Coordinates of all heavy atoms in Angstrom, one line a residue:
A1 N 83.2 139.4 -50.8 CA 83.8 140.6 -51.6 C 85.2 140.3 -51.8 O 85.9 139.6 -51.1 CB 83.6 141.8 -50.8
G2 N 85.6 140.8 -52.9 CA 87.1 140.7 -53.2 C 87.3 139.4 -54.0 O 86.4 138.7 -54.3
G3 N 88.6 139.1 -54.3 CA 88.9 137.8 -54.9 C 89.0 137.9 -56.4 O 89.1 139.1 -57.0
N4 N 89.0 136.8 -57.0 CA 89.2 136.7 -58.5 C 87.8 136.9 -59.2 O 86.9 136.1 -59.1 CB 89.8 135.3 -58.8 CG 90.1 135.2 -60.2 OD1 89.3 135.6 -61.1 ND2 91.2 134.6 -60.5
V5 N 87.6 138.0 -59.9 CA 86.4 138.4 -60.5 C 86.0 137.3 -61.6 O 84.9 137.0 -61.8 CB 86.4 139.8 -61.1 CG1 87.3 139.9 -62.3 CG2 85.0 140.2 -61.5
F6 N 87.0 136.7 -62.2 CA 86.7 135.7 -63.3 C 86.2 134.4 -62.7 O 85.3 133.8 -63.2 CB 87.9 135.5 -64.2 CG 88.2 136.8 -64.9 CD1 89.4 137.5 -64.6 CD2 87.4 137.3 -65.9 CE1 89.7 138.7 -65.2 CE2 87.7 138.5 -66.6 CZ 88.8 139.2 -66.2
Y7 N 86.8 134.0 -61.5 CA 86.3 132.9 -60.9 C 84.9 133.1 -60.4 O 84.0 132.3 -60.5 CB 87.2 132.5 -59.7 CG 86.8 131.4 -58.9 CD1 87.2 130.1 -59.3 CD2 86.1 131.4 -57.7 CE1 86.8 128.9 -58.6 CE2 85.7 130.3 -57.0 CZ 86.0 129.1 -57.5 OH 85.7 127.9 -56.8
L8 N 84.6 134.2 -59.8 CA 83.3 134.6 -59.4 C 82.3 134.6 -60.5 O 81.2 134.1 -60.4 CB 83.3 136.0 -58.7 CG 82.0 136.5 -58.2 CD1 81.3 135.7 -57.1 CD2 82.1 138.0 -57.6
L9 N 82.7 135.2 -61.6 CA 81.8 135.3 -62.7 C 81.5 134.0 -63.3 O 80.4 133.7 -63.7 CB 82.4 136.2 -63.8 CG 81.5 136.6 -65.0 CD1 80.3 137.4 -64.6 CD2 82.3 137.4 -66.1
D10 N 82.5 133.1 -63.3 CA 82.2 131.7 -63.8 C 81.2 131.1 -62.9 O 80.3 130.4 -63.4 CB 83.6 130.9 -63.7 CG 83.5 129.5 -64.2 OD1 83.0 129.3 -65.4 OD2 83.8 128.6 -63.4
K11 N 81.3 131.3 -61.6 CA 80.3 130.6 -60.7 C 78.9 131.3 -60.8 O 77.9 130.6 -60.7 CB 80.8 130.7 -59.2 CG 82.0 130.0 -59.0 CD 82.0 128.6 -59.4 CE 83.3 127.9 -59.2 NZ 83.3 126.6 -59.9
I12 N 78.9 132.6 -61.1 CA 77.7 133.3 -61.3 C 76.9 132.8 -62.5 O 75.7 132.5 -62.5 CB 77.9 134.9 -61.5 CG1 78.2 135.5 -60.1 CG2 76.8 135.6 -62.1 CD1 78.7 136.9 -60.2
H13 N 77.7 132.6 -63.6 CA 77.0 132.0 -64.9 C 76.6 130.6 -64.6 O 75.5 130.2 -65.1 CB 78.1 132.0 -66.0 CG 78.3 133.4 -66.6 ND1 77.4 134.3 -66.9 CD2 79.5 134.0 -66.9 CE1 77.9 135.4 -67.3 NE2 79.2 135.2 -67.4
K14 N 77.4 129.7 -64.0 CA 77.0 128.3 -63.8 C 76.0 128.1 -62.9 O 75.2 127.2 -63.0 CB 78.3 127.5 -63.4 CG 79.3 127.4 -64.5 CD 80.5 126.7 -64.2 CE 81.5 126.5 -65.3 NZ 82.8 125.9 -64.9
S15 N 75.8 129.0 -61.8 CA 74.8 128.7 -60.8 C 73.4 129.4 -61.1 O 72.5 129.0 -60.5 CB 75.3 129.3 -59.5 OG 75.3 130.7 -59.6
G16 N 73.4 130.2 -62.1 CA 72.1 130.9 -62.4 C 71.8 132.1 -61.5 O 70.8 132.6 -61.5
F17 N 72.9 132.5 -60.8 CA 72.7 133.7 -59.9 C 72.4 135.0 -60.6 O 71.6 135.7 -60.1 CB 74.0 133.9 -59.0 CG 74.0 135.1 -58.2 CD1 73.2 135.1 -57.0 CD2 74.6 136.3 -58.6 CE1 73.1 136.2 -56.2 CE2 74.5 137.4 -57.8 CZ 73.8 137.4 -56.6
S18 N 72.9 135.1 -61.8 CA 72.7 136.3 -62.6 C 71.1 136.5 -62.9 O 70.6 137.5 -62.6 CB 73.3 136.3 -63.9 OG 73.1 137.5 -64.6
K19 N 70.5 135.4 -63.1 CA 69.0 135.5 -63.4 C 68.3 135.9 -62.1 O 67.4 136.7 -62.1 CB 68.5 134.1 -63.9 CG 67.0 134.0 -64.2 CD 66.6 132.7 -64.6 CE 65.1 132.7 -64.8 NZ 64.5 131.4 -64.9
I20 N 68.7 135.3 -61.0 CA 68.1 135.6 -59.7 C 68.3 137.1 -59.4 O 67.3 137.7 -58.9 CB 68.6 134.6 -58.6 CG1 68.2 133.2 -58.9 CG2 68.2 135.1 -57.3 CD1 68.9 132.1 -58.1
A21 N 69.6 137.5 -59.5 CA 69.9 138.9 -59.2 C 69.0 139.8 -60.1 O 68.5 140.8 -59.6 CB 71.4 139.1 -59.5
H22 N 68.9 139.5 -61.4 CA 68.0 140.3 -62.2 C 66.6 140.4 -61.8 O 65.9 141.4 -61.9 CB 68.1 139.9 -63.7 CG 69.3 140.4 -64.4 ND1 69.4 141.6 -65.0 CD2 70.6 139.8 -64.6 CE1 70.6 141.8 -65.6 NE2 71.3 140.7 -65.3
E23 N 66.1 139.2 -61.4 CA 64.7 139.2 -60.9 C 64.5 140.1 -59.8 O 63.5 140.8 -59.7 CB 64.3 137.7 -60.6 CG 64.1 136.8 -61.8 CD 63.9 135.4 -61.3 OE1 63.9 135.0 -60.1 OE2 63.9 134.5 -62.2
H24 N 65.4 140.1 -58.8 CA 65.3 140.9 -57.6 C 65.5 142.4 -58.0 O 64.7 143.2 -57.4 CB 66.3 140.4 -56.6 CG 65.8 139.2 -55.9 ND1 64.9 139.1 -54.9 CD2 66.2 137.9 -56.2 CE1 64.8 137.9 -54.5 NE2 65.5 137.1 -55.3
T25 N 66.5 142.7 -58.8 CA 66.7 144.1 -59.1 C 65.5 144.7 -59.9 O 65.2 145.9 -59.8 CB 68.0 144.4 -59.8 OG1 68.2 143.6 -61.0 CG2 69.2 144.1 -58.8
N26 N 65.0 143.9 -60.8 CA 63.8 144.3 -61.5 C 62.6 144.6 -60.6 O 61.7 145.3 -61.0 CB 63.4 143.3 -62.6 CG 64.4 143.3 -63.7 OD1 65.2 144.3 -63.9 ND2 64.5 142.2 -64.5
Q27 N 62.6 144.0 -59.4 CA 61.5 144.3 -58.4 C 61.9 145.5 -57.6 O 61.2 145.8 -56.6 CB 61.4 143.0 -57.5 CG 60.8 141.8 -58.3 CD 60.8 140.6 -57.4 OE1 61.1 140.6 -56.2 NE2 60.5 139.5 -58.0
G28 N 63.0 146.2 -57.9 CA 63.3 147.4 -57.1 C 64.3 147.1 -56.0 O 64.7 148.0 -55.2
K29 N 64.8 145.8 -55.8 CA 65.7 145.6 -54.7 C 67.1 146.0 -55.2 O 67.4 146.1 -56.4 CB 65.7 144.1 -54.4 CG 64.4 143.6 -53.8 CD 64.3 142.2 -53.5 CE 62.9 141.8 -53.1 NZ 62.8 140.3 -52.9
I30 N 68.0 146.2 -54.3 CA 69.3 146.7 -54.6 C 70.4 145.6 -54.5 O 70.4 144.8 -53.6 CB 69.7 147.8 -53.6 CG1 68.7 149.0 -53.7 CG2 71.1 148.4 -53.8 CD1 68.8 150.0 -52.6
Y31 N 71.2 145.6 -55.6 CA 72.3 144.7 -55.6 C 73.6 145.5 -55.1 O 73.8 146.6 -55.7 CB 72.6 144.1 -56.9 CG 73.9 143.4 -57.0 CD1 73.9 142.0 -56.7 CD2 75.1 144.0 -57.4 CE1 75.1 141.3 -56.7 CE2 76.3 143.2 -57.5 CZ 76.3 141.9 -57.1 OH 77.5 141.2 -57.2
I32 N 74.3 145.1 -54.1 CA 75.5 145.7 -53.7 C 76.6 144.7 -53.8 O 76.5 143.6 -53.2 CB 75.3 146.2 -52.2 CG1 74.2 147.3 -52.2 CG2 76.7 146.8 -51.7 CD1 73.9 147.7 -50.8
G33 N 77.7 145.1 -54.4 CA 78.8 144.3 -54.5 C 80.1 145.1 -54.2 O 80.1 146.3 -54.4
E34 N 81.1 144.4 -53.7 CA 82.3 145.1 -53.3 C 83.4 144.4 -54.0 O 83.4 143.1 -54.1 CB 82.5 145.0 -51.8 CG 83.6 145.8 -51.2 CD 83.6 145.8 -49.7 OE1 82.5 146.0 -49.2 OE2 84.6 145.5 -49.2
S35 N 84.4 145.1 -54.6 CA 85.5 144.6 -55.3 C 85.0 143.7 -56.4 O 84.4 144.2 -57.3 CB 86.4 143.8 -54.3 OG 87.7 143.6 -54.8
S36 N 85.3 142.4 -56.4 CA 84.9 141.5 -57.5 C 83.4 141.5 -57.6 O 82.9 141.3 -58.8 CB 85.4 140.1 -57.2 OG 86.9 140.0 -57.4
G37 N 82.7 141.6 -56.5 CA 81.3 141.6 -56.6 C 80.7 142.8 -57.4 O 79.7 142.7 -58.0
S38 N 81.3 143.9 -57.3 CA 80.9 145.1 -58.0 C 81.4 145.0 -59.5 O 80.6 145.3 -60.4 CB 81.4 146.4 -57.4 OG 82.8 146.4 -57.4
L39 N 82.5 144.5 -59.7 CA 83.0 144.3 -61.2 C 82.1 143.3 -61.9 O 81.7 143.5 -63.1 CB 84.5 143.8 -61.2 CG 85.5 144.8 -61.0 CD1 86.9 144.0 -60.9 CD2 85.6 145.8 -62.1
A40 N 81.6 142.2 -61.2 CA 80.8 141.2 -61.8 C 79.4 141.9 -62.2 O 78.8 141.3 -63.2 CB 80.6 140.1 -60.9
A41 N 79.1 143.0 -61.7 CA 77.8 143.6 -62.0 C 77.9 144.5 -63.3 O 76.9 144.9 -63.9 CB 77.3 144.5 -60.9
A42 N 79.1 144.6 -63.8 CA 79.3 145.4 -65.0 C 78.8 144.7 -66.2 O 78.7 143.5 -66.2 CB 80.8 145.8 -65.2
P43 N 78.5 145.4 -67.3 CA 78.0 144.7 -68.5 C 79.1 143.8 -69.2 O 78.7 142.7 -69.8 CB 77.7 145.8 -69.5 CG 77.6 147.0 -68.7 CD 78.4 146.8 -67.4
D44 N 80.3 144.1 -69.0 CA 81.4 143.4 -69.7 C 82.7 143.5 -68.9 O 83.0 144.6 -68.3 CB 81.7 144.0 -71.1 CG 82.7 143.1 -71.9 OD1 82.3 142.1 -72.4 OD2 83.9 143.7 -71.9
L45 N 83.4 142.4 -68.6 CA 84.6 142.4 -67.8 C 85.9 142.3 -68.6 O 86.9 142.1 -68.1 CB 84.5 141.3 -66.8 CG 83.8 141.6 -65.6 CD1 82.3 141.7 -65.8 CD2 84.1 140.6 -64.5
T46 N 85.8 142.5 -69.9 CA 87.0 142.4 -70.8 C 88.1 143.3 -70.3 O 89.3 143.0 -70.3 CB 86.7 142.7 -72.3 OG1 85.6 141.8 -72.7 CG2 87.9 142.5 -73.1
I47 N 87.8 144.5 -69.8 CA 88.8 145.5 -69.3 C 89.5 144.9 -68.2 O 90.7 145.4 -67.9 CB 88.1 146.8 -69.0 CG1 89.2 147.9 -68.9 CG2 87.2 146.8 -67.8 CD1 88.6 149.3 -69.1
A48 N 89.0 144.0 -67.4 CA 89.7 143.5 -66.2 C 90.5 142.3 -66.5 O 91.1 141.7 -65.7 CB 88.7 143.1 -65.1
H49 N 90.6 141.9 -67.8 CA 91.3 140.7 -68.3 C 92.8 140.7 -67.9 O 93.5 141.7 -68.2 CB 91.2 140.6 -69.8 CG 91.8 139.4 -70.4 ND1 93.1 139.3 -70.8 CD2 91.3 138.2 -70.7 CE1 93.4 138.1 -71.2 NE2 92.3 137.4 -71.2
R50 N 93.2 139.7 -67.1 CA 94.6 139.5 -66.8 C 94.8 138.1 -66.8 O 94.1 137.2 -66.3 CB 94.9 140.0 -65.4 CG 94.8 141.5 -65.2 CD 95.2 142.0 -63.8 NE 95.4 141.0 -62.8 CZ 94.4 140.7 -61.8 NH1 93.3 141.3 -61.9 NH2 94.6 139.8 -60.9
E51 N 95.9 137.6 -67.5 CA 96.2 136.2 -67.7 C 96.3 135.4 -66.4 O 95.7 134.3 -66.2 CB 97.5 136.0 -68.5 CG 97.3 136.3 -70.0 CD 96.2 135.5 -70.6 OE1 96.0 134.3 -70.4 OE2 95.5 136.2 -71.5
E52 N 96.9 136.0 -65.4 CA 97.1 135.3 -64.1 C 95.7 135.1 -63.4 O 95.5 134.1 -62.7 CB 98.1 136.0 -63.1 CG 97.7 137.4 -62.7 CD 98.1 138.6 -63.6 OE1 98.5 138.3 -64.7 OE2 97.9 139.7 -63.2
A53 N 94.8 136.1 -63.6 CA 93.5 135.9 -63.0 C 92.7 134.8 -63.7 O 91.8 134.2 -63.1 CB 92.7 137.2 -63.1
L54 N 93.0 134.5 -65.0 CA 92.2 133.5 -65.7 C 92.7 132.1 -65.4 O 92.1 131.1 -65.9 CB 92.3 133.8 -67.2 CG 91.5 135.1 -67.6 CD1 91.8 135.4 -69.1 CD2 90.0 134.8 -67.4
E55 N 93.8 132.0 -64.7 CA 94.3 130.7 -64.4 C 93.4 129.8 -63.6 O 93.3 128.6 -63.7 CB 95.7 130.7 -63.7 CG 96.8 131.3 -64.5 CD 98.1 131.5 -63.7 OE1 98.1 131.3 -62.5 OE2 99.1 132.0 -64.4
K56 N 92.5 130.4 -62.8 CA 91.5 129.7 -62.0 C 90.3 129.2 -62.9 O 89.6 128.3 -62.4 CB 90.9 130.6 -60.9 CG 92.0 131.1 -60.0 CD 91.8 130.3 -58.6 CE 92.8 130.8 -57.7 NZ 93.0 129.9 -56.6
V57 N 90.2 129.8 -64.1 CA 89.1 129.3 -64.9 C 89.6 129.1 -66.3 O 89.3 129.9 -67.2 CB 87.9 130.4 -64.9 CG1 87.1 130.3 -63.7 CG2 88.5 131.8 -65.1
P58 N 90.4 128.0 -66.6 CA 90.9 127.8 -67.9 C 89.8 127.6 -69.0 O 88.8 127.1 -68.7 CB 91.7 126.5 -67.7 CG 91.4 126.0 -66.4 CD 90.6 127.0 -65.6
G59 N 90.1 128.2 -70.1 CA 89.1 128.1 -71.2 C 88.0 129.2 -71.2 O 87.1 129.2 -72.0
M60 N 88.0 130.0 -70.2 CA 86.9 131.0 -70.1 C 87.0 132.0 -71.3 O 88.1 132.5 -71.5 CB 87.0 131.8 -68.7 CG 85.9 132.8 -68.6 SD 86.0 133.5 -66.9 CE 84.4 134.3 -66.9
T61 N 85.9 132.1 -72.0 CA 85.9 133.1 -73.1 C 84.8 134.1 -73.1 O 84.7 135.0 -73.8 CB 85.7 132.3 -74.4 OG1 84.6 131.5 -74.3 CG2 87.0 131.4 -74.7
D62 N 83.8 133.9 -72.1 CA 82.6 134.7 -72.0 C 82.9 135.7 -70.8 O 82.9 135.3 -69.6 CB 81.3 133.9 -71.7 CG 80.1 134.8 -71.6 OD1 80.2 135.9 -71.8 OD2 79.0 134.2 -71.3
F63 N 83.1 137.0 -71.2 CA 83.4 138.0 -70.2 C 82.2 138.9 -69.9 O 82.4 140.0 -69.4 CB 84.7 138.8 -70.6 CG 85.9 137.9 -70.8 CD1 86.4 137.7 -71.9 CD2 86.5 137.3 -69.7 CE1 87.5 136.9 -72.1 CE2 87.6 136.5 -69.8 CZ 88.2 136.3 -71.0
T64 N 81.1 138.3 -70.3 CA 79.8 139.1 -70.1 C 79.5 139.2 -68.6 O 79.4 138.1 -67.9 CB 78.7 138.5 -70.8 OG1 79.0 138.4 -72.2 CG2 77.4 139.3 -70.7
G65 N 79.3 140.4 -68.0 CA 78.9 140.5 -66.7 C 77.4 140.4 -66.5 O 76.7 140.2 -67.4
M66 N 77.0 140.7 -65.3 CA 75.6 140.7 -65.0 C 74.8 141.9 -65.5 O 73.6 141.9 -65.6 CB 75.4 140.5 -63.5 CG 75.8 139.2 -62.9 SD 75.3 138.9 -61.2 CE 75.9 140.3 -60.4
G67 N 75.6 143.0 -65.7 CA 75.0 144.3 -66.1 C 74.3 144.3 -67.4 O 73.4 144.8 -67.7

């Protein structure tokens, strides 16, 4: 929990975790995230955009969350 939401989102997209999380939540399981983990579950993270946060993921342009 916590940390840089854009770094986390980058890893979520690259690892395929979003697909796995959707499969489980569609089966009725609960996803619980805290801090960055909860933000990553939103449909879009554009509102959280901060230049200093994006320094960890240069070139990131997809702010689509898991939601």
